[in-house]
Amino acid sequence: AIVTANNITKIKIAEEKLKHSLKIQTLLADVANGLNSVQDIGRKLDETLWILGRHTNVSRVYIFEDDPGGNTTSNTYEWCNKGIEPQKDSLQNLPNKLIPSWKRLLDGNGKIQCNNIRDLPDDLVAALEPQGVRSLLAFPLYAQEKYIGSVGFDECSTNKQWEADEVELLRAVANIISNAIERVRIQKQLSYSEARLKMAIENTETGLWDWNIPTGEVYYSDTWCRMIGYEKSEIEPSVTTWERLVHPDDMPAINEALEAHMSGKTEIYQTTHRVLTKSGEYKWIIDKGKIIERDKEGKPVRAIGTHTDIDHLKKIESEVDELFFV
């Protein structure tokens, strides 16, 4: 009977460990899925902290982000347990030079883990004690291989002994959050670059197109539309519009060039072809483009490019041909 009781106890312990492990794996999956898209990233990060706080039942979960120059840091997201005073509003634009040990420990050791904050350097004790923090667990955040801030747990009610699974949980979440913030920053950089490119292109009277390949939607710039005699409101923003306007005799060569670029055989897509204008005449253009985004399977998702009017050059070329070869 004693042996049977011991076996049952071991089975129960194993079952509890398995349930706990599955719970953590589910939590990580929920966090990863929630941050899979950068759309509405603020709300999603708030939800992530709520999930972490509910799971661990700590006093406070938060994210700090440094300014671009790394001179100051701010509490950008915060979740507080019941009865815990929020600190976010008072933790904005803090000079990093006042708490040098924070970044030094995170960047050097890969984490800050302490059961009693009095074991930390004096600058951190001075910063954390007024917040009521007694125990701390934090990990660094990185974007494009650069330290950008941190994510952490505060415990204010007791000197908490951090469990190994809590440490690994926050480490994994820190990596997920880092990836999400990195994607947001890259998208912003791309948007700024595209805005500058669009302005430069519009000023040179070159038409711009931006193709969402899976949906078939295409952004055509005002100059692109004017080049063939249309107002932008008259052009349906789809790839079928372009296909309808291209001279049928030119489509085989165009499709061949597109296929070569989409399959990765060429660095850019480029063709010279005719496009039907609003007046019913065809105009020669140079069409250049490049795939700038592919999905996880390598399939093209987005391409941008330009239309350049070379109709006058074609007319001169035709006149020269007539002069010499007639």
Side-chain angles (χ1 to χ4, degrees), residues 17-209:
K17 286 183 177 180
L18 179 59
K19 288 180 181 178
H20 187 67
S21 177
L22 289 173
K23 185 177 180 180
I24 290 178
Q25 292 301 318
T26 301
L27 184 149
L28 286 175
D30 289 343
V31 169
N33 288 333
L35 296 176
N36 189 45
S37 169
V38 298
Q39 292 183 343
D40 201 9
I41 190 65
R43 177 183 61 80
K44 291 176 179 179
L45 286 172
D46 280 331
E47 289 177 355
T48 296
L49 299 194
W50 180 84
I51 291 171
L52 291 172
R54 298 277 292 183
H55 174 79
T56 59
N57 197 35
V58 294
S59 299
R60 189 182 295 119
V61 189
Y62 51 84
I63 293 174
F64 274 82
E65 293 182 70
D66 282 12
D67 71 85
N71 297 313
T72 65
T73 191
S74 297
N75 188 176
T76 50
Y77 299 92
E78 179 188 58
W79 173 88
C80 293
N81 214 329
K82 291 181 179 179
I84 300 300
E85 189 71 23
Q87 300 293 318
K88 181 179 175 181
D89 290 344
S90 61
L91 298 175
Q92 300 299 309
N93 302 311
L94 303 176
N96 278 322
K97 64 181 181 180
L98 297 181
I99 46 172
S101 299
W102 183 262
K103 181 179 178 181
R104 177 175 57 80
L105 290 175
L106 284 173
D107 208 15
N109 299 340
K111 65 177 178 179
I112 298 176
Q113 178 181 348
C114 70
N115 304 327
N116 188 335
I117 65 161
R118 290 189 172 275
D119 296 331
L120 294 173
D122 292 342
D123 59 318
L124 297 187
V125 174
L128 295 169
E129 274 195 332
Q131 302 174 41
V133 181
R134 297 179 62 176
S135 299
L136 168 72
L137 176 62
F139 282 89
L141 298 175
Y142 295 96
Q144 297 171 290
E145 300 182 354
K146 179 182 178 182
Y147 176 92
I148 60 166
S150 56
V151 55
F153 292 154
D154 284 348
E155 182 52 62
C156 301
S157 60
T158 184
N159 292 339
K160 180 177 175 62
Q161 299 290 324
W162 300 102
E163 299 294 335
D165 60 354
E166 291 175 324
V167 175
E168 292 310 309
L169 170 64
L170 189 56
R171 188 196 306 276
V173 170
N175 289 333
I176 295 172
I177 293 175
S178 289
N179 291 335
I181 293 175
E182 182 174 59
R183 290 199 303 274
V184 170
R185 294 191 174 197
I186 289 173
Q187 187 178 66
K188 286 182 178 179
Q189 291 169 2
L190 182 60
S191 296
Y192 294 149
S193 297
E194 288 177 351
R196 290 194 295 267
L197 174 63
K198 188 179 296 184
M199 182 176 295
I201 287 175
E202 293 295 335
N203 288 337
T204 59
E205 289 302 308
T206 300
L208 177 69
W209 52 265

Side-chain angles (χ1 to χ4, degrees), residues 209-249:
W209 52 265
D210 188 334
W211 181 18
N212 183 322
I213 298 171
T215 67
E217 294 177 289
V218 183
Y219 163 84
Y220 298 111
S221 70
D222 291 337
T223 303
W224 191 100
C225 299
R226 288 197 303 269
M227 191 179 296
I228 52 176
Y230 289 93
E231 294 298 323
K232 191 171 182 178
S233 59
E234 298 177 290
I235 293 291
E236 181 184 351
S238 71
V239 71
T240 55
T241 297
W242 171 78
E243 291 172 340
R244 177 176 53 82
L245 294 172
V246 170
H247 196 294
D249 293 346

Side-chain angles (χ1 to χ4, degrees), residues 225-230 244-246 274-285 309 311:
C225 299
R226 288 197 303 269
M227 191 179 296
I228 52 176
Y230 289 93
R244 177 176 53 82
L245 294 172
V246 170
R274 291 160 289 181
V275 178
L276 185 65
T277 66
K278 188 176 181 179
S279 65
E281 299 176 334
Y282 279 97
K283 175 179 285 190
W284 284 96
I285 60 97
D309 183 349
D311 200 57

